[in-house]
Amino acid sequence: MLMATNLKSLTLRIIITAIALIFVLDFFFKAKLIQDTAFSLQRFVIPIGGFALGLGGITMGLYYARRIMRKDKFWQYDIAGVLSMLFMGLLGFLEASPQPILQWYTYNIVTPIEQAIWSALAFYLASASIRALRAKSVETALLLAGAIFVMIGNAPVGPALWPASADIARWFMDVPNMAEARGINLIVAFGTFLLAARVFLGRERTILG
Amino acid sequence: MQRLKYQTRAVLVWDLPREIGRMIKDGTITPFLFLIVIFVFVFATYYAAKKGKKFSIKKKIAAFDAIPEAIGRATEMGRPMHSTSGGSRTESWRGPHVVAGLTLIAYVAEMAARIDIPFYLSVNYPDQIVVGDETLRSAYLKAGHPERYKREYVLYHGDTDSSYSGGMMGFMMRNNVGANFMLGGFGSESLLLAETGNRLGAMQIAGTPTTWQLPFLVTTCDYVMMGDEVYAAGCLVTGDPIETSFVISQDYLKIISIALIILGTIISTLGSNFLVQLMKM
């Protein structure tokens, strides 16, 4: 049993490493064999995705049906979820293009709900900013000063009252902010490569189970 | 006779560099050489560690060390724990962030399994349901308590950002989570989730290599792993010296990069664009 599990893990690792190397080589080399292989592999995603979607739909249906039958906590939400899924799925199958009912449902129900969730972000941004910009130490005082310049420079009234504010705000964003972001991004790239190396060497197996 | 689709020809060993140079795409010579340098550093330190060389890291990652504290606090309050690997696709450029996050989530799940506290994992995309399920199942098995794992611990709220964010916010509010772990690749949902946890008074530990989400997480979470710390913490999970060797090789690469930046600054200040041209090759 253990040997079979190890063999499965090893096979998966070999497949992952081989596919990853093909894409790495495709990025650097213009050999037709490598380019064609990489292109074919990318096309595999479409049928795999299609089957996965079907399987996912069935799994989700069974999962929620079990929850509803057992009357688990908040099972009423599951009924709404399953009905919505079935409704959208059926409309997709039955309705001919340009799908007016599906569009109406999307524009009048889905989009307003999405907008409502994102509108909360504005309030959350304000409360997070208030917490971050309390001048408790020298560092936070500097952060507050920088934030004031950036806010004045970006608000329409700022450059109208004080034309130099836009340039100051741009300097903050382009020089200290950019330098810090590039530094982190560079190191993150090394980290990403190390993660890949760990997967290739079989040291990172979390996602493989 | 059928014509061969791909033509092959014999290449002598000493012609190999020239042949590689002929096949390589324009503008990728320097990145390719740099990739080889990275390979050499990573594998040299890896094999040195395998041969018995001891590597140690003196600097602590505060957010990583705070994980047991967060679990303990949630347990004392009798509240469940929630985690997410972020709203990023596994096959996107932020996929490695998700994988790195899942490594840490597995570590938290293992600890949660030992003390039998409900530990939920929210995922954004359908393919991550399977990955999440496998990650938690393996962690519970590793902890020696596979019977404590429930399939319901992996939560799927839909594959749009708004459904994912809304679902998670609702779940956290309804279940009054005591600790929240946000480890992985995040987009704009990071603030929605972290603010919800903050309002609940949950202890929050976050970690993401996604640079532009860091300010939101820093302002709302108790501890944050920034950038490469997420990858480094993933190596430190086992405490294995071979895993530590990866972090050491990363440090060597940082030193090389800093040296190149300083060199580039001096050369550019002197009026030469030699290094810029070299990088563009």
Side-chain angles (χ1 to χ4, degrees):
Chain A
M1 179 70 186
L2 189 69
M3 205 179 146
T5 314
N6 283 342
L7 196 67
K8 184 185 139 198
S9 174
L10 182 72
T11 318
L12 268 172
R13 258 167 34 216
I14 291 169
I15 292 169
I16 289 170
T17 309
I19 292 172
L21 282 178
I22 288 167
F23 283 111
V24 169
L25 291 175
D26 179 47
F27 180 80
F28 289 112
F29 294 99
K30 49 192 172 194
K32 192 161 168 36
L33 176 67
I34 298 168
Q35 285 172 339
D36 286 356
T37 314
F39 182 67
S40 303
L41 283 170
Q42 279 171 335
R43 282 175 60 192
F44 270 125
V45 173
I46 300 165
I48 292 171
F51 280 112
L53 195 68
L55 186 68
I58 295 166
T59 312
M60 266 184 71
L62 289 173
Y63 170 69
Y64 286 116
R66 248 196 322 268
R67 276 182 58 87
I68 294 164
M69 279 192 290
R70 283 199 309 241
K71 294 202 171 168
D72 279 354
K73 204 175 176 185
F74 306 116
W75 60 278
Q76 297 89 341
Y77 294 113
D78 298 333
I79 295 178
V82 170
L83 286 178
S84 301
M85 193 174 82
L86 286 175
F87 177 66
M88 291 294 266
L90 277 174
L91 275 182
F93 277 116
L94 299 176
E95 211 180 18
S97 184
Q99 302 181 310
I101 304 173
L102 198 69
Q103 279 187 11
W104 184 91
Y105 188 79
T106 308
Y107 291 143
N108 294 288
I109 296 176
V110 179
T111 309
I113 292 172
E114 286 187 346
Q115 298 304 322
I117 288 172
W118 292 122
S119 65
L121 202 56
F123 300 102
Y124 284 177
L125 265 173
S127 69
S129 304
I130 289 165
R131 255 200 313 279
L133 300 175
R134 279 183 196 142
K136 290 179 198 162
S137 60
V138 180
E139 289 87 356
T140 47
L142 284 172
L143 183 72
L144 176 64
I148 288 169
F149 280 117
V150 173
M151 278 190 282
I152 292 172
N154 282 300
V157 70
L161 294 172
W162 182 27
S165 64
D167 293 331
I168 295 170
R170 203 174 304 120
W171 180 85
F172 269 107
M173 296 308 289
D174 291 351
V175 182
N177 182 59
M178 186 68 82
E180 168 269 333
R182 281 184 181 167
I184 295 177
N185 284 338
L186 183 76
I187 307 305
V188 165
F190 290 144
T192 308
F193 180 83
L194 290 176
L195 181 74
R198 285 173 65 215
V199 173
F200 294 165
L201 290 166
R203 308 296 307 182
E204 174 53 70
R205 292 179 218 173
T206 314
I207 55 158
L208 302 178
Chain B
M1 196 176 151
Q2 197 188 352
R3 232 181 97 207
L4 281 172
K5 194 177 176 188
Y6 303 105
Q7 290 181 346
T8 54
R9 63 195 175 97
V11 176
L12 296 171
V13 175
W14 48 84
D15 284 341
L16 213 59
R18 202 176 56 203
E19 285 296 318
I20 291 171
R22 196 174 57 82
M23 279 164 61
I24 205 159
K25 286 178 187 169
D26 293 337
T28 60
I29 295 172
T30 311
F32 183 65
L33 291 175
F34 205 66
L35 188 73
I36 291 171
V37 171
I38 296 172
F39 253 116
V40 169
F41 269 99
V42 172
F43 290 103
T45 45
Y46 172 72
Y47 283 107
K50 262 197 134 179
K51 288 261 157 89
K53 188 168 169 53
K54 297 270 179 242
F55 290 112
S56 65
I57 299 167
K58 286 183 184 137
K59 195 188 161 225
K60 297 271 181 194
I61 300 172
F64 179 70
D65 293 338
I67 290 174
E69 187 193 331
I71 297 171
R73 226 183 106 184
T75 312
E76 278 172 15
M77 290 190 291
R79 286 156 67 176
M81 298 198 295
H82 176 261
S83 69
T84 180
S85 54
S88 304
R89 285 187 180 276
T90 327
E91 77 276 14
S92 72
W93 67 272
R94 281 198 307 210
H97 304 182
V98 176
V99 176
L102 282 171
T103 307
L104 292 171
I105 286 169
Y107 171 68
V108 183
E110 206 182 314
M111 291 170 112
R114 285 204 190 99
I115 46 177
D116 198 14
I117 174 171
F119 180 69
Y120 294 92
L121 167 64
S122 287
V123 294
N124 194 1
Y125 296 102
D127 57 313
Q128 290 173 5
I129 300 174
V130 187
V131 177
D133 182 43
E134 201 65 39
T135 302
L136 292 195
R137 198 184 293 277
S138 303
Y140 274 71
L141 190 68
K142 210 171 155 193
H145 298 287
E147 77 288 351
R148 288 178 182 171
Y149 175 67
K150 291 177 189 159
R151 175 62 188 79
E152 287 82 359
Y153 285 169
V154 178
L155 306 163
Y156 173 63
H157 310 285
D159 79 341
T160 61
D161 288 347
S162 49
S163 62
Y164 166 68
S165 313
M168 273 193 302
M169 287 157 73
F171 176 83
M172 286 171 72
M173 295 295 279
R174 285 193 298 273
N175 292 278
N176 193 22
V177 297
N180 184 31
F181 299 90
M182 298 170 63
L183 304 159
F186 288 90
S188 45
E189 76 282 353
S190 68
L191 186 63
L192 288 174
L193 182 59
E195 266 293 313
T196 309
N198 199 293
R199 280 171 62 198
L200 286 169
M203 186 163 170
Q204 300 200 98
I205 294 178
T208 184
T210 319
T211 323
W212 52 91
Q213 295 305 320
L214 284 172
F216 303 130
L217 296 176
V218 167
T219 50
T220 45
C221 296
D222 297 280
Y223 291 94
V224 181
M225 290 179 222
M226 288 201 260
D228 66 313
E229 282 185 337
V230 181
Y231 295 110
C235 295
L236 301 176
V237 160
T238 54
D240 184 354
I242 295 175
E243 293 286 324
T244 314
S245 74
F246 288 104
V247 186
I248 299 294
S249 62
Q250 195 178 352
D251 286 349
Y252 285 136
L253 292 167
K254 280 183 199 173
I255 293 166
I256 293 176
S257 302
I258 292 166
L260 273 175
I261 289 167
I262 294 169
L263 189 71
T265 311
I266 294 167
I267 290 175
S268 295
T269 311
L270 292 173
S272 166
N273 65 348
F274 166 72
L275 211 61
V276 177
Q277 292 302 324
L278 191 73
M279 292 289 175
K280 280 183 182 170
M281 268 177 72

